[in-house]
Amino acid sequence: MDPDRRVQQVIGLVFSKVAEFGSARQVLLWFRGEKVSLPSWAHGESRLELIWKLPVYNTIWHMLRNPMYAGAYAFGKTEARTRVINGRARKTIGHQKPVENWTVLIRDHHSGYITWEQYERNQLMLADNAHMKSRMEPKAGRGGRSLLAGLLRCRRCGRMLHVAYSGNRSEVPRYHCRGAQINHGEAWCISFGGLRPDRAVAAEIPKAVEGNGIEAALEAAARIAEQRSQQRQAMSLELEQARYEVRLAARRYEAVDPDNRLVAAELETRWNAALRR
């Protein structure tokens, strides 16, 4: 683990959000929506420098795919393949190999952010999300306000119903099945508004869980408090680092000869930039 506490905290936050959302894309949307940056190495003037920036999808995806975060050392995860195309051999590299065919895999090689079992669950999640495997199993809702997202299936064709949102704030759900149209050019199987079905089901839920309602409410409140605590901690560490950079810029400015205006002006500009941040 990186000795920087801010790096440790935010990387751990990535994996906790993956467990919560079950989707790399939803984790990405959360980080960008909350303006939480991730660390990245960039080439500076003379060496690699640690910078902070909002993640892109590949950032999250590669973190979930990397066994290093699970405390494992791995080598030989990809292979080269050769195919004959138009009578000529074409070699391509970077093809992923299954775990059992990796050249080297040493588990518990170092301290990790997640266990190996969590790493394997993440790989199954990525595979299911990418290739729509296990299509007949219930899917978890992935954001949005619709209550039944991922729970309804078309009686005609058996496909999962999609959810679309409309309205001024995109809060009005509508369930529809376009599988037959997309795959076979046929008419939509079904399409209906989601407000009334959601209300009907929502009215029944308290009856079904009223015996454990207090415990469920307390657990939900605890989870919300934990999420807010994680956000506050990330912001607190970011603020602490920003204050350090201000102090460092101030010391550099104060150490320069004031008559050397070319250098002093540049250091003053950097100090002001650090203060604004």
Side-chain angles (χ1 to χ4, degrees):
M1 292 186 177
D2 194 288
D4 189 324
R5 284 195 302 116
R6 184 185 174 195
V7 173
Q8 290 184 19
Q9 191 270 343
V10 78
I11 291 178
L13 189 57
V14 170
F15 290 103
S16 68
K17 289 300 175 184
V18 168
E20 178 182 347
F21 295 136
S23 165
R25 175 171 171 75
Q26 291 303 318
V27 173
L28 169 69
L29 295 178
W30 185 89
F31 269 83
R32 296 190 72 90
E34 298 295 334
K35 301 295 188 295
V36 178
S37 299
L38 288 179
S40 176
W41 289 106
H43 290 280
E45 297 179 355
S46 58
R47 58 185 177 85
L48 286 175
E49 298 178 352
L50 183 67
I51 62 173
W52 291 84
K53 60 183 181 180
L54 292 177
V56 296
Y57 180 80
N58 276 345
T59 306
I60 305 296
W61 189 85
H62 280 104
M63 289 181 69
L64 299 182
R65 292 283 296 171
N66 194 338
M68 178 192 70
Y69 294 103
Y73 172 80
F75 178 78
K77 298 181 293 181
T78 62
E79 63 183 357
R81 296 176 183 173
T82 303
R83 294 191 304 165
V84 178
I85 302 177
N86 297 328
R88 300 183 63 180
R90 301 286 185 178
K91 183 178 180 180
T92 55
I93 62 175
H95 298 280
Q96 296 288 334
K97 296 192 295 186
V99 175
E100 58 270 17
N101 292 339
W102 288 357
T103 307
V104 178
L105 173 60
I106 306 176
R107 300 182 190 177
D108 301 321
H109 176 267
H110 53 268
S111 60
Y113 290 90
I114 58 175
T115 65
W116 183 256
E117 289 71 23
Q118 289 173 304
Y119 171 80
E120 291 182 321
R121 286 198 296 270
N122 289 339
Q123 306 318 299
L124 291 175
M125 176 203 70
L126 292 174
D128 287 344
N129 292 348
H131 305 297
M132 298 180 66
K133 295 181 178 178
S134 305
R135 297 188 179 187
M136 296 308 294
E137 296 178 0
K139 303 293 183 181
R142 300 179 182 177
R145 299 179 62 87
S146 62
L147 180 63
L148 305 177
L151 300 177
L152 298 182
R153 193 172 287 278
C154 179
R155 182 176 181 181
R156 177 183 174 191
C157 68
R159 295 181 176 89
M160 296 292 296
L161 294 189
H162 294 171
V163 185
Y165 296 92
S166 60
N168 294 334
R169 298 183 179 179
S170 298
E171 294 181 347
V172 181
R174 186 171 187 84
Y175 300 100
H176 61 266
C177 178
R178 297 181 55 193
Q181 183 197 48
I182 294 173
N183 295 323
H184 307 296
E186 300 178 3
W188 288 27
C189 290
I190 192 172
S191 178
F192 58 93
L195 288 178
R196 290 167 64 183
D198 280 10
R199 288 171 184 161
V201 174
E204 295 298 321
I205 290 177
K207 300 177 184 178
V209 300
E210 58 185 358
N212 300 317
I214 296 178
E215 291 82 357
L218 291 173
E219 182 179 351
R223 289 187 180 183
I224 293 174
E226 181 181 0
Q227 292 173 10
R228 290 177 178 171
S229 175
Q230 291 172 338
Q231 293 171 244
R232 283 196 299 268
Q233 186 177 4
M235 293 178 182
S236 174
L237 293 175
E238 184 174 358
L239 177 61
E240 182 178 339
Q241 180 174 344
R243 285 172 173 163
Y244 163 76
E245 291 172 355
V246 166
R247 294 193 298 269
L248 179 62
R251 290 198 301 270
R252 289 172 174 170
Y253 175 75
E254 292 166 354
V256 72
D257 184 352
D259 292 332
N260 190 350
R261 294 305 304 161
L262 293 176
V263 176
E266 173 62 23
L267 292 178
E268 184 180 15
T269 299
R270 296 183 182 181
W271 185 13
N272 288 332
L275 283 168
R276 284 196 300 271
R277 167 155 168 67

